Amino acid sequence: MTKIILSAVAGAAALTLGAHAASAQTLEAVKAKGYIQCGVSTGLAGFSNTDDAGEWTGLDVDFCRAMAAAIFDDPEAVRFSPLSAVERFTALQSGEIDVLSRNTTWTMSRDTALGLNFVGVTFYDGQGFMVPAELNVDSALQLSGASVCVQSGTTTELNLTDYFSANNMEYNPVVFEGLEEVNAAYNAGRCDVYTTDSSGLYAIRLTLDNPDDHVVLPELISKEPLGPAVRRGDDQWFGIAKWVYYGLVYAEELGISSENLEEMLASENPDVRRALGGDGTFGADMGLENDWLVKIVRHVGNYGEVFERNVGADSPLQIERGLNALYTDGGLQYGMPIR
């Protein structure tokens, strides 16, 4: 019996040591190479796309820049891997990328079966439909018999099937693996309807030959909570990614922005002092400097700043905050307390 107990204790100790070793694996590897490898889309305006100078921009891109700022005090210490919907999960599972920040929907199956940990919801979305205005369609319930362009390997494809089945409608799926292929097919008139996340439709509409000739229908047929994900098995890395997200939101809640950061550093407000590293060891507890959030806000801004410049009022997309407003403004964004 003693031998069994000693063996169990030794086994538990080995597991504990193994967990501690694994917990720092990604952060150590990222520091050793000097950058974060971030998986993004192959091109979606407002979320992850290259500008005319070849620089990556977007809400998903800025999340990775925020992580780089927190770790390296340098938002440019990140490299981007453009991935199709089919490629994205394998790239994360295999270690090809350190974090996936690619307009990806958080679902139960992905959370439980793919070995991923979703960090949080950086954009609350829902699947919609876009059609040529000349079809004179004002509801998705009028789309029976239509041909529908959709990207394979996505929840979009599954939601499409469910929606038409639930409403006893028929449709002809026109399926492509790459987003650019779907865009080109719809733009060329190879299908009557384009379906994807509503935010994506607004972005894609701007890339069409004649954007004003297309309308996004009002229905949202699904819940699409979009957010970054990391591999399971590294609690420290998961914690860093999670608190970068919460830090962005919490900074906005506290009124801390890139414009007033220096002033806020002198604040005597206890919540502000803890958030900005004036009190406590919250950064050190996750393996970072205590001013990790200062670095994020200085280089990237708070969540509201990231939202507005990429997809909101200061962007061509002009998407309203809606569900992505702070909870104090009727939205769902809620930063966990730093204390």
Side-chain angles (χ1 to χ4, degrees):
M1 185 68 176
T2 303
K3 289 182 178 179
I4 293 175
I5 293 172
L6 289 174
S7 296
V9 171
L15 286 173
T16 302
L17 289 172
H20 283 305
S23 70
Q25 182 178 4
T26 307
L27 179 60
E28 290 177 358
V30 163
K31 285 184 174 180
K33 65 186 178 184
Y35 62 88
I36 298 171
Q37 195 72 43
C38 176
V40 293
S41 75
T42 53
L44 182 61
F47 291 86
S48 50
N49 195 37
T50 52
D51 61 19
D52 293 339
E55 294 293 322
W56 283 96
T57 65
L59 188 147
D60 291 335
V61 166
D62 276 349
F63 175 79
C64 289
R65 294 197 191 283
M67 287 193 68
I71 296 167
F72 296 106
D73 197 15
D74 180 6
E76 301 303 319
V78 55
R79 298 183 184 179
F80 298 98
S81 297
L83 301 166
S84 71
V86 173
E87 297 169 332
R88 55 185 165 173
F89 299 124
T90 302
L92 183 58
Q93 293 162 338
S94 68
E96 178 185 334
I97 58 175
D98 302 309
V99 59
L100 177 67
S101 187
R102 185 207 175 281
N103 57 294
T104 297
T105 301
W106 184 350
T107 69
M108 182 177 180
S109 60
R110 290 172 176 176
D111 203 39
T112 59
L114 294 184
L116 310 182
N117 275 328
F118 280 84
V119 169
V121 182
T122 51
F123 192 92
Y124 288 92
D125 206 353
Q127 185 173 331
F129 298 94
M130 179 167 61
V131 299
E134 65 182 11
L135 291 184
N136 293 317
V137 170
D138 56 20
S139 169
L141 294 173
Q142 299 171 276
L143 298 178
S144 185
S147 57
V148 184
C149 278
V150 62
Q151 189 175 12
S152 64
T154 62
T155 54
T156 305
E157 191 176 11
L158 303 177
N159 294 335
L160 176 64
T161 300
D162 289 348
Y163 180 77
F164 275 80
S165 175
N167 288 286
N168 296 312
M169 301 190 305
E170 297 181 355
Y171 74 102
N172 176 35
V174 183
V175 182
F176 300 92
E177 178 179 333
L179 184 64
E180 295 86 352
E181 296 173 284
V182 189
N183 295 351
Y186 177 77
N187 196 32
R190 293 178 59 184
C191 49
D192 305 313
V193 183
Y194 194 139
T195 186
T196 190
D197 297 341
S198 181
S199 59
L201 293 176
Y202 282 101
I204 292 161
R205 179 176 170 272
L206 296 177
T207 70
L208 300 176
D209 292 341
N210 298 292
D212 292 339
D213 292 344
H214 303 269
V215 295
V216 177
L217 298 179
E219 290 94 344
L220 295 179
I221 68 170
S222 70
K223 292 190 291 186
E224 304 295 335
L226 309 180
V230 296
R231 284 182 299 282
R232 281 191 185 170
D234 191 333
D235 288 346
Q236 182 189 44
W237 188 246
F238 177 41
I240 290 171
K242 181 168 57 177
W243 280 101
V244 166
Y245 159 65
Y246 285 137
L248 285 164
V249 177
Y250 196 50
E252 184 183 9
E253 288 180 15
L254 293 175
I256 305 169
S257 71
S258 60
E259 294 184 355
N260 68 6
L261 178 60
E262 299 307 319
E263 175 187 343
M264 296 298 274
L265 282 169
S267 172
E268 293 300 321
N269 181 305
D271 291 328
V272 173
R273 285 187 55 79
R274 284 192 296 269
L276 298 182
D279 291 326
T281 59
F282 302 103
D285 292 342
M286 9 176 226
L288 304 179
E289 300 293 332
N290 281 332
D291 63 348
W292 61 281
L293 187 52
V294 173
K295 295 170 182 174
I296 290 174
V297 175
R298 178 173 290 133
H299 294 299
V300 181
N302 62 35
Y303 177 81
E305 290 177 282
V306 170
F307 185 98
E308 296 300 350
R309 71 167 168 262
N310 288 302
V311 299
D314 299 330
S315 78
L317 273 67
Q318 297 285 302
I319 297 175
E320 296 183 1
R321 285 289 292 265
L323 293 177
N324 294 291
L326 296 178
Y327 77 102
T328 51
D329 295 325
L332 298 177
Q333 292 294 350
Y334 183 110
M336 298 302 166
I338 297 174
R339 67 173 306 123

